[in-house]
Amino acid sequence: MIRIESEPWTAMVAHARATYPNECCGAMLGSIEGDEKTVHAAAALDNAFAGEQARYYQLRSEDLLAADKAARERGMSLIGIYHSHPDCGAYFSETDLKNSCPWYSFVVLSIQKGEFDHANSWLPDADQTKADKEELIY
Amino acid sequence: MAKILIPTPLRQFTGKQDSVTVTGDTVGSALANLTAQFPDLRKQIFNDEGKVRSFVNVYLNDEDIRYLSKTDTPVKDGDAISLVPSIAGGSALGGSVLAAPPEKAAPPPEAALTKEEILRYSRHLIIPEVGIEGQQKLKAAKVLLIGAGGLGAPLGLYLAAAGVGRIGLVDFDVVDFTNLQRQVIHSTADVGRNKIDSAAEKMKGINPNVTIVKHEVALTSENALDILKDYDIVVDGTDNFPTRYLVNDACVLLGKPNVYGSIFRFEGQATVFAYEGGPCYRCLYPEPPPPGLVPSCAEGGVLGILPGTIGLIQATETVKLILGIGEPLVGRLLLYDALSMRFRELKLRKNPECPVCGDHRTITKLIDYHQFCGVPSPNQAPAAQETRMNEGDISVIELKEKLDRGEKFVLIDVREPHEYKICNIPGAKLIPLGEFPQHVGEFSPDDDIVIHCRSGVRSGKACNVLRAAGFQHVRNVVGGILAWSDQVDPSVPKY
């Protein structure tokens, strides 16, 4: 289960609306207690995909390294990645799966016509063959 | 001894430790020792073949080991190793698009760098955005330069120096003295040599590792596709409209980026055409200008330094395209004005109606570009047009005899005042062509009128103006003051 506190949640939705019609991406920082993850802060990161950003995103490893470092310095952990799907559902696409990492929760925000519609969180496996839906509370 | 920072989700496998200090001389041995200590961690980092999983990037301190020596990168005491995920995605359904992010595509094995090359390119290798992989991409790249002149000179020198592995040159011209003011790839001793040989020699001199392919032909609709097809990127360093349209169309048809540059006097332009999704030259200029409206460098002049600036912008874009870094100059026309020393940018859009790259394409193969641009094809043009005599023409020899006999006639020079200062024929009255129509009233229909310019083209136009106004005795000096220098007075400088 992953719970996103209201401050980071508001920031994530605002980020996704601001980049519409392109996809946004960012890191979620927080803590893990057993099976329960809590997001305390969201870090908006640059979509580095050199191409059609309306349908793709790419995170720079340097940005993730910096986000991880920032989290450690504030006593938090990098626990998840978020990105938006403009004008389509919050599914975990084949593209998402084949470029995922099983260590993190992947929150997908569906933005329809510029407004937030719904969101899901996904847990991909190590072989990038499937992703399980994770309970998401915001 | 190195410290390995453990990502939070993996701490369940390391007894909740957020970092683990392990022994090992290299990154590879440190990671092996880590997973030996915590076996459950192994399958998170390595695949069944023992390779680091595709979604894991390993950093030594602040550097990605792919740009160092991969898992053989040596580790010192106090170094920190981080495991950073490689993450991308998107709503698009076709999973394979990003499955191998471009920077992970391995360069071909023949692109491996020798010890000499590692030393030669060391200032590239220490830039994280280039590194060994970037240099290997340069080595594997195949770039075609069309023209070994003003733009081709800096392009050829710098692309060879940068280590572009295979550079094709298209040129069939010969070096002359007027080239030396800007075409820095040729030296004074090269005057009279084929430009392609002179250029290739300099490029090889700078970097013997580079393969130069010489195409000593005029690029035509018949040979263009065959020449261009073997290259990844085409760089247009030409100075005429038929070839620009030809290069553009061939690039669009073959799906190859066209790195474009043009120069005139103090101003230059550059952009990248025919890049996936971007506009092409025809989107910007659907039709060529009327013949003669836009002067060439030979007619209008060019500041010698200008092609250096523009050629190097083209070289920069070429290298960026090869490396896949930065923001390419696509959909933007960069305008440079040397006098005000300003760069401006115009947004270029792909034209949906473009006949070659639009939605309803009417040009699907190469056409006759000389006909399209309304200029004579080099094959049809008589070889010595300047010396061919027609009715209404006068040769420089006849003109000299006429002057020597002291005949009464009107000699007019229709060049510009700054040209007149370089050289002139004594007794000629200067009336620049642009002002000529206003002066027609100054002549009498009985006058015997002889008109000259530099080569005979502008004076031909002035003759036509007078004939159209009813003047009978008007003659054009064939070959202009250039012919005068060759045949009458060698002390007159040519320009």
Side-chain angles (χ1 to χ4, degrees):
Chain A
M1 191 263 275
I2 183 164
R3 193 170 63 80
I4 305 177
E5 290 178 349
S6 70
E7 197 176 318
W9 176 252
T10 309
M12 286 161 59
V13 171
H15 184 205
R17 288 177 60 202
T19 56
Y20 179 90
N22 287 343
E23 296 196 4
C24 74
C25 52
M28 298 185 293
L29 316 180
S31 56
I32 305 178
E33 293 291 332
D35 288 341
E36 199 174 315
K37 301 173 192 170
T38 307
V39 177
H40 305 307
L45 299 177
D46 192 25
N47 180 353
F49 185 70
E52 197 190 349
Q53 294 194 353
R55 296 170 69 226
Y56 297 97
Y57 79 96
Q58 189 166 7
L59 283 165
R60 275 190 208 95
S61 296
E62 294 77 11
D63 291 347
L64 278 178
L65 189 63
D68 186 54
K69 202 175 164 200
R72 283 170 188 261
E73 283 167 3
R74 290 187 231 161
M76 291 191 280
S77 303
L78 174 62
I79 61 173
I81 304 296
Y82 71 90
H83 75 279
S84 62
H85 279 185
D87 293 326
C88 53
Y91 49 81
F92 207 62
S93 72
E94 188 72 5
T95 310
D96 289 329
L97 186 61
K98 292 299 178 202
N99 299 283
S100 66
C101 171
W103 309 339
Y104 300 103
S105 295
F106 284 76
V107 170
V108 183
L109 293 86
S110 165
I111 303 294
Q112 307 278 355
K113 294 184 177 131
E115 296 301 328
F116 173 75
D117 195 83
H118 64 282
N120 289 313
S121 183
W122 302 92
L123 295 169
D125 68 350
D127 296 318
Q128 302 180 329
T129 50
K130 68 179 178 64
D132 293 328
K133 210 166 176 174
E134 180 183 34
E135 191 188 348
L136 169 67
I137 299 166
Y138 55 82
Chain B
M1 299 284 271
K3 187 164 79 171
I4 301 181
L5 302 176
I6 308 296
T8 314
L10 301 187
R11 290 177 202 160
Q12 56 181 299
F13 305 114
T14 60
K16 301 212 167 166
Q17 297 179 70
D18 62 1
S19 67
V20 178
T21 301
V22 293
T23 55
D25 301 332
T26 63
V27 171
S29 62
L31 289 175
N33 290 339
L34 173 75
T35 53
Q37 201 178 333
F38 303 104
D40 291 342
L41 204 51
R42 188 170 172 79
K43 83 175 197 4
Q44 297 289 330
I45 301 172
F46 295 102
N47 65 15
D48 295 341
E49 291 148 23
K51 295 235 169 69
V52 174
R53 285 189 181 271
S54 65
F55 54 76
V56 182
N57 288 329
V58 181
Y59 276 66
L60 180 66
N61 303 320
D62 289 335
E63 290 191 75
D64 190 330
I65 63 162
R66 282 178 299 162
Y67 304 122
L68 301 171
S69 304
K70 312 227 164 63
T71 49
D72 294 333
T73 305
V75 173
K76 301 187 306 294
D77 279 359
D79 278 346
I81 297 172
S82 304
L83 304 170
V84 183
S86 165
I87 293 172
S91 58
L93 301 174
S96 61
V97 183
L98 280 182
E103 69 271 21
K104 291 219 167 180
E110 63 270 21
L113 302 182
T114 63
K115 203 176 159 196
E116 186 268 331
E117 287 173 308
I118 288 175
L119 187 61
R120 173 184 287 271
Y121 302 124
S122 87
R123 296 301 184 273
H124 268 168
L125 303 183
I126 57 181
I127 309 178
E129 288 83 354
V130 183
I132 290 266
E133 286 205 17
Q135 196 63 50
Q136 288 177 323
K137 285 183 192 168
L138 288 168
K139 187 173 179 179
K142 299 184 288 270
V143 174
L144 183 66
L145 301 187
I146 303 181
L151 296 169
L155 275 158
L157 294 173
Y158 274 95
L159 292 181
V164 172
R166 197 176 182 84
I167 303 176
L169 293 173
V170 182
D171 204 300
F172 62 102
D173 204 359
V174 172
V175 180
D176 77 40
F177 272 104
T178 67
N179 299 151
L180 300 176
Q181 157 258 23
R182 62 194 180 284
Q183 299 179 16
V184 295
I185 202 166
H186 310 299
S187 65
T188 306
D190 294 315
V191 171
R193 279 181 86 190
N194 293 336
K195 283 189 178 175
I196 206 164
D197 294 328
S198 162
E201 188 180 287
K202 307 305 178 332
M203 291 160 69
K204 272 282 185 191
I206 288 175
N207 192 346
N209 303 310
V210 171
T211 303
I212 313 280
V213 185
K214 299 181 193 174
H215 303 278
E216 196 162 14
V217 290
L219 198 70
T220 66
S221 301
E222 287 69 42
N223 64 22
L225 294 177
D226 202 42
I227 293 174
L228 268 63
K229 72 171 171 23
D230 295 328
Y231 296 89
D232 311 319
I233 297 173
V234 177
V235 188
D236 184 356
T238 59
D239 58 355
N240 65 82
F241 290 99
T243 316
R244 277 185 200 152
Y245 280 98
L246 168 60
V247 171
N248 178 73
D249 291 2
C251 284
V252 172
L253 294 176
L254 292 168
K256 297 187 190 288
N258 169 13
V259 183
Y260 169 86
S262 73
I263 48 172
F264 181 69
R265 290 189 177 162
F266 297 99
E267 291 167 66
Q269 304 184 346
T271 188
V272 177
F273 288 124
Y275 185 81
E276 52 196 56
C280 79
Y281 185 67
R282 279 181 191 268
C283 298
L284 175 61
Y285 300 115
E287 298 274 331
L293 183 73
V294 179
S296 68
C297 288
E299 291 159 357
V302 60
L303 186 71
I305 302 154
L306 181 73
T309 307
I310 299 299
L312 289 185
I313 289 171
Q314 291 177 280
T316 308
E317 288 306 305
T318 304
V319 167
K320 278 164 57 189
L321 290 178
I322 295 168
L323 295 175
I325 58 172
E327 186 186 347
L329 190 56
V330 174
R332 299 180 285 143
L333 182 69
L334 190 67
L335 306 176
Y336 169 64
D337 181 350
L339 284 185
S340 63
M341 195 44 82
R342 282 199 173 87
F343 285 93
R344 286 192 302 134
E345 218 177 270
L346 294 182
K347 207 174 206 78
L348 297 184
R349 290 188 197 284
K350 198 172 161 72
N351 175 10
E353 304 301 319
C354 177
V356 71
C357 77
D359 299 336
H360 311 287
R361 303 176 184 192
T362 52
I363 298 169
T364 52
K365 58 184 173 46
L366 299 177
I367 60 171
D368 181 338
Y369 293 90
H370 289 93
Q371 188 190 28
F372 176 66
C373 295
V375 297
S377 143
N379 307 327
Q380 294 159 1
Q385 197 177 19
E386 290 187 354
T387 54
R388 197 180 55 166
M389 298 291 290
N390 285 320
E391 202 182 343
D393 286 346
I394 179 171
S395 73
V396 286
I397 302 288
E398 285 175 78
L399 173 62
K400 173 77 165 88
E401 290 165 358
K402 207 173 162 67
L403 285 165
D404 289 348
R405 285 195 298 268
E407 279 186 30
K408 187 175 178 306
F409 71 103
V410 182
L411 178 61
I412 303 165
D413 181 344
V414 292
R415 296 176 303 154
E416 300 298 317
H418 60 271
E419 295 179 86
Y420 190 85
K421 278 186 196 159
I422 301 170
C423 56
N424 56 68
I425 299 175
K429 181 177 162 62
L430 179 68
I431 307 175
L433 182 63
E435 301 161 20
F436 194 76
Q438 291 99 283
H439 291 267
V440 170
E442 296 167 15
F443 308 114
S444 149
D446 300 329
D447 284 346
D448 179 11
I449 301 173
V450 175
I451 309 179
H452 88 86
C453 63
R454 177 174 164 270
S455 70
V457 175
R458 281 173 284 177
S459 50
K461 290 176 186 165
C463 287
N464 290 338
V465 169
L466 286 183
R467 286 184 194 122
F471 288 80
Q472 303 283 323
H473 316 291
V474 182
R475 280 183 293 172
N476 180 27
V477 178
V478 176
I481 202 163
L482 294 176
W484 182 267
S485 170
D486 282 338
Q487 298 168 36
V488 177
D489 183 0
S491 73
V492 169
K494 296 206 285 187
Y495 63 97

